[in-house]
Amino acid sequence: MFNIIIRIIILLLILCGVILIYDARILTKKFFGFGDQNEGSAGLKFLGAVLVLICGIALFFLQR
């Protein structure tokens, strides 16, 4: 049961990472007041990619 809960949490984190990647510019406009939105959206995209990568590797090793 604990294993299933951990998998669901990891999948939700992967979903959040994908949302950060695809909606980075919209989220940057909505939540941050940067003068240069390209830097903010690039940061959010990088954060989302790292989150997806780490959670994907964790999910891969959790299934073994």
Side-chain angles (χ1 to χ4, degrees):
M1 184 68 178
F2 180 72
N3 196 7
I4 294 172
I5 293 171
I6 294 297
R7 285 184 187 179
I8 291 172
I9 291 171
I10 290 174
L11 288 174
L12 288 174
L13 286 173
I14 290 174
L15 178 67
C16 290
V18 170
I19 290 172
L20 279 177
I21 292 170
Y22 286 109
D23 292 337
R25 188 162 306 274
I26 297 169
L27 293 173
T28 304
K29 286 180 185 177
K30 191 173 188 178
F31 292 115
F32 302 112
F34 290 152
D36 185 16
Q37 292 180 353
N38 289 334
E39 291 180 14
S41 64
L44 285 179
K45 285 182 182 185
F46 179 75
L47 179 67
V50 169
L51 186 65
V52 168
L53 183 67
I54 290 173
C55 291
I57 291 171
L59 187 64
F60 176 74
F61 286 114
L62 189 64
Q63 290 180 355
R64 291 182 170 228

